[in-house]
């Protein structure tokens, strides 16, 4: 089956630091989506990537769709306490609207 | 924004009892999904629906059944709850076309004792 590896599993950073996390897969995908889950809530879509090499920003967040179509990364610049949560990458294959999710990166921000 | 709501938000039930969780959407989206979230496993798909009365199994469907008798409602049933089904359950909806990212509900925390 398709393997999706998300790393790191968890991160503890100081407020103001930049953060980087990534996902890699064993297969080629058409779409990468990044979600954030606040404690006690459902995941919320942050950024969607639809073609290889695409680089997209949403405020302090930047995500890229890897050129090989097998990976994606998410960067957060100048972290703030409200960045705390679990970040999930997800992908869909050709002709499918069904998403598969990574296991998540749990981010903790120390004020 | 309450385009998708789950009920109940919390439930404690005894082993062996049937449990039904409800997902209701007001977006008229075609696709609906049930996921469970457990530490170390992320989000795993249980069942999904691609239309009224059209459903299919996901990665972890054993012990679960679903029904979708109308577009807006997707029910998840645990026929005989077990402790391994203690989890947080999320419903999600999605449309079609390019921008089909999921919208998730707020989750149901189910504890089977």
């Amino acid at each position: 089956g398709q393997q999706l590896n998300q790393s790191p599993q968890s991160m503890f950073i100081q407020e103001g630091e930049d953060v980087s996390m990534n996902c890699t897969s064993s297969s080629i995908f058409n779409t990468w989506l990044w979600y954030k889950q606040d404690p006690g809530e459902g995941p919320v879509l942050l950024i969607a990537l639809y073609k290889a090499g695409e680089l997209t920003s949403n405020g302090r967040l930047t995500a890229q769709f890897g050129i090989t179509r097998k990976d994606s990364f998410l960067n957060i610049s100048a972290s703030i306490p409200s960045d705390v949560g679990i970040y999930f990458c997800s992908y869909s294959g050709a002709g499918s609207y069904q998403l598969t999710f990574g296991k998540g990166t749990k981010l903790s921000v120390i004020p | 924004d309450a385009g998708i709501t789950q009920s109940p938000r919390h439930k404690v039930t005894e082993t062996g009892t049937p449990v039904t969780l409800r997902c209701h959407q007001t977006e008229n989206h075609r696709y609906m999904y049930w996921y469970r979230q457990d530490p170390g496993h992320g989000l795993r798909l249980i069942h999904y629906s691609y239309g009224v009365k059209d459903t299919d199994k996901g990665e972890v469907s054993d012990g679960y059944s679903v029904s979708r008798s109308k577009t807006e409602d997707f029910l998840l049933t645990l026929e005989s709850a077990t402790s391994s089904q203690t989890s947080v359950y999320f419903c999600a909806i999605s449309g079609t076309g390019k921008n089909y990212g999921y919208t998730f509900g707020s989750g149901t925390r189910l504890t089977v004792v």
Side-chain angles (χ1 to χ4, degrees):
Chain A
Q2 295 163 341
Q3 295 289 324
L4 180 62
N5 297 308
Q6 185 170 354
S7 64
Q9 273 190 312
S10 63
M11 305 178 73
F12 289 83
I13 62 169
Q14 291 286 143
E15 183 176 357
E17 289 184 348
D18 296 342
V19 174
S20 183
M21 59 190 78
N22 69 86
C23 280
T24 59
S25 70
S26 57
S27 302
I28 292 172
F29 299 119
N30 290 340
T31 302
W32 284 98
L33 303 173
W34 285 91
Y35 286 81
K36 183 197 176 192
Q37 183 180 29
D38 290 327
E41 296 296 328
V44 173
L45 181 65
L46 296 174
I47 292 177
L49 304 162
Y50 297 103
K51 58 183 180 182
E54 181 178 356
L55 183 71
T56 298
S57 294
N58 178 5
R60 293 178 296 105
L61 278 61
T62 301
Q64 184 161 24
F65 193 147
I67 198 71
T68 64
R69 294 170 63 193
K70 291 186 177 182
D71 60 352
S72 178
F73 72 77
L74 175 71
N75 286 346
I76 305 172
S77 63
S79 59
I80 59 178
S82 62
D83 290 333
V84 164
I86 303 175
Y87 293 79
F88 292 99
C89 63
S90 65
Y91 68 80
S92 69
S96 172
Y97 295 115
Q98 185 176 320
L99 296 180
T100 300
F101 290 83
K103 294 184 179 180
T105 294
K106 186 175 183 179
L107 179 64
S108 300
V109 179
I110 304 168
Chain B
D1 58 344
I4 175 172
T5 55
Q6 291 184 232
S7 60
R9 287 297 309 271
H10 303 271
K11 186 170 181 66
V12 179
T13 191
E14 292 186 349
T15 299
T17 60
V19 177
T20 296
L21 309 182
R22 180 178 183 244
C23 179
H24 179 78
Q25 61 145 330
T26 58
E27 305 296 323
N28 200 36
H29 280 334
R30 177 181 176 186
Y31 296 91
M32 299 185 76
Y33 311 83
W34 277 106
Y35 284 83
R36 61 178 289 175
Q37 183 176 23
D38 305 287
H41 292 278
L43 293 159
R44 292 182 293 173
L45 181 65
I46 305 171
H47 281 280
Y48 66 100
S49 170
Y50 45 96
V52 173
K53 292 187 168 55
D54 292 323
T55 65
D56 207 346
K57 296 179 179 180
E59 177 187 357
V60 289
S61 60
D62 287 348
Y64 302 94
S65 63
V66 290
S67 66
R68 191 169 178 196
S69 59
K70 45 186 178 178
T71 299
E72 56 265 36
D73 291 325
F74 193 32
L75 304 180
L76 176 70
T77 298
L78 289 65
E79 302 291 346
S80 178
T82 67
S83 58
S84 65
Q85 294 175 312
T86 293
S87 186
V88 181
Y89 292 86
F90 287 99
C91 177
I93 59 175
S94 71
T96 57
K98 182 178 182 182
N99 298 313
Y100 59 85
Y102 291 5
T103 300
F104 281 86
S106 297
T108 295
R109 182 172 292 276
L110 176 68
T111 302
V112 183
V113 298

